[in-house]
Amino acid sequence: MNVTGVELGLKNFIDVRCAQDGRVDKVARMLCASAVTTVNAVERLSMKELDQARELQNQVLRLTERTLALPFGRAMFIFGTVTIVTRETYRIPRMEYTTLLQQQNLATVPDPAKLNAEVISWADFKFHNVVASGLRISHTSTVADSSWIKFNEPAELTSEDAGFLFVLGLTGHLPVLLGGV
């Protein structure tokens, strides 16, 4: 099962409050960074082929920057919506940077060398994705205890793991570590 990161688990609430217009589903689709972005790239006959390719690559780069910013909005959208954490591994959605250009039926990924220096200088994209995903865990959840944290600890620590511990601290689940893990 793929995790998109925008699952709310509040179907009854959403059905009562805003089932007619589907606005919650629209927001979830806009904030989903784990799906391939599809673009209708219009072919301009007045442009040279090389210029058109450059324009498409620039559009792919802008879409990648947008994708990198989605975890911040997703964190606000899903904040505290999971009150019951299962004893399974906490699943983090992957970030998808592929763009499908519909007219050309071409899937492309951005050239990392062409990304803006400011984009590259962000702490770590995976860190922010994990923090956004972890903010789903409500501060009232009781399953996020020291054994669950230890169970989710990988063999080798990365910035993703730092983000996971950071978000557990933000949601008030790290005091359980005082007794030792």
Side-chain angles (χ1 to χ4, degrees):
M1 180 178 130
N2 285 340
V3 176
T4 63
V6 290
E7 303 89 3
L8 290 177
L10 302 171
K11 182 170 175 25
N12 293 338
F13 174 77
I14 292 169
D15 285 347
V16 169
R17 299 287 279 181
C18 45
Q20 283 75 25
D21 60 5
R23 64 186 132 178
V24 174
D25 293 332
K26 289 175 188 173
V27 171
R29 274 194 308 276
M30 285 190 305
L31 295 175
C32 181
S34 62
V36 174
T37 304
T38 304
V39 175
N40 260 341
V42 178
E43 205 170 309
R44 297 186 196 173
L45 299 175
S46 62
M47 291 180 73
K48 294 179 183 174
E49 193 174 319
L50 182 61
D51 291 336
Q52 213 169 7
R54 271 194 207 123
E55 185 177 302
L56 289 175
Q57 185 60 30
N58 284 335
Q59 189 173 10
V60 168
L61 289 172
R62 298 301 76 82
L63 289 168
T64 300
E65 290 174 351
R66 180 193 67 95
T67 300
L68 292 170
L70 289 177
F72 298 101
R74 192 177 78 232
M76 289 183 267
F77 180 63
I78 62 174
F79 182 76
T81 58
V82 174
T83 55
I84 301 171
V85 179
T86 63
R87 288 279 179 191
E88 300 169 5
T89 303
Y90 192 72
R91 299 189 51 182
I92 308 295
R94 65 181 176 76
M95 300 280 284
E96 180 61 64
Y97 304 111
T98 304
T99 301
L100 177 65
L101 304 170
Q102 276 191 332
Q103 298 290 44
Q104 292 83 358
N105 197 23
L106 174 70
T108 182
V109 291
D111 179 5
K114 293 188 178 187
L115 281 171
N116 186 333
E118 289 178 8
V119 172
I120 294 171
S121 69
W122 288 359
D124 190 317
F125 309 127
K126 293 179 180 180
F127 175 86
H128 295 298
N129 187 40
V130 171
V131 170
S133 300
L135 284 172
R136 289 182 70 200
I137 302 172
S138 172
H139 70 282
T140 61
S141 173
T142 58
V143 176
D145 58 12
S146 60
S147 63
W148 182 78
I149 294 169
K150 186 70 173 169
F151 175 74
N152 281 287
E153 180 185 347
E156 187 176 321
L157 296 177
T158 64
S159 61
E160 290 175 291
D161 306 310
F164 192 63
L165 288 174
F166 177 70
V167 79
L168 289 175
L170 286 175
T171 55
H173 294 291
L174 283 187
V176 299
L177 294 180
L178 293 176
V181 180

